[in-house]
Amino acid sequence: MHYNRIRKMDISNGPGVRVSIFFQGCSFHCKNCFNPETWNFNEGKEFNDEVIDHILEISNKDYITGLSILGGEPMHPNNIEGTTKLAKRFKEKYRDKTIWCWTGFLYEQIKDEEVFNYIDVLIDGQFINDEYSSNLKWRGSKNQRIIDIKKTKKNKKLILHSDMEE
């Protein structure tokens, strides 16, 4: 498994100042994707425990509000194990910081549900160029949903996040 890059101070992928990791590899290849350099599963840098340790270390600042996990495709079968391991270790260390994750899969399509024990917010659905709007918060196209995973699990039904408004 590989990752493309890590941002130490990201203000564009979730609320507050966040650490972001962009995983490598995606099979969707959405038209006008903002990260086509992340499509190839064989490119990028190796993702391992040292990378997780580095992410935990750079997240250990009061102004870092959370972790954002993007891609590529973090929920792809090639990447889900690493995504889950990173999310679990992050939540074990930083219970009060949030994890936001972007995926082209729909929430209902993700079968490896362990990751939802750690993720707070999931932005799901492939980017659809014809649904693009620059007015959307945290997403690129109107079909994508911002899901409050904690409330969804608690209520046993899909609950959209309060930032879902346009």
Side-chain angles (χ1 to χ4, degrees):
M1 168 175 182
H2 296 96
Y3 72 99
N4 182 274
R5 69 184 173 279
I6 296 170
R7 288 187 181 161
K8 294 180 182 181
M9 291 178 41
D10 189 352
I11 58 168
S12 58
N13 292 301
V17 179
R18 312 177 68 76
V19 171
S20 294
I21 183 167
F22 294 77
F23 281 114
Q24 190 70 38
C26 183
S27 54
F28 292 122
H29 300 180
C30 300
K31 180 182 177 184
N32 290 324
C33 169
F34 83 111
N35 275 332
E37 68 278 6
T38 64
W39 290 355
N40 188 323
F41 285 94
N42 298 315
E43 292 180 358
K45 303 166 196 114
E46 182 182 352
F47 181 79
N48 53 34
D49 287 338
E50 289 79 27
V51 174
I52 294 174
D53 291 341
H54 174 67
I55 290 170
L56 295 178
E57 180 184 323
I58 62 176
S59 299
N60 193 20
K61 295 175 179 59
D62 290 340
Y63 62 83
I64 298 294
T65 58
L67 174 66
S68 294
I69 303 172
L70 309 97
E73 181 49 66
M75 298 297 178
H76 188 278
N78 291 358
N79 294 338
I80 187 72
E81 185 178 324
T83 298
T84 302
K85 186 175 185 180
L86 170 61
K88 180 179 182 186
R89 295 237 355 246
F90 187 89
K91 272 301 186 181
E92 286 171 352
K93 185 163 183 167
Y94 303 113
R95 296 204 179 277
D96 295 333
K97 296 185 182 198
T98 60
I99 299 176
W100 283 45
C101 183
W102 282 255
T103 180
F105 291 102
L106 295 177
Y107 169 76
E108 297 84 358
Q109 295 173 314
I110 300 168
K111 302 303 179 206
D112 189 342
E113 296 181 8
E114 181 187 355
V115 73
F116 296 134
N117 292 328
Y118 316 111
I119 291 175
D120 297 285
V121 175
L122 182 76
I123 294 83
D124 78 341
Q126 294 177 40
F127 173 76
I128 298 175
N129 196 58
D130 290 342
E131 296 284 319
Y132 168 77
S133 172
S134 61
N135 297 328
L136 298 173
K137 195 170 188 180
W138 314 128
R139 56 201 173 113
S141 57
K142 293 178 183 178
N143 63 295
Q144 295 171 310
R145 303 177 293 183
I146 305 172
I147 301 168
D148 186 318
I149 295 296
K150 301 300 178 198
K151 287 182 181 177
T152 294
K153 286 182 66 163
K154 181 180 177 184
N155 293 290
K156 296 183 177 27
K157 68 176 187 173
L158 194 125
I159 305 289
L160 296 177
H161 190 271
S162 59
D163 278 339
M164 189 66 191
E165 301 90 34
E166 289 187 38

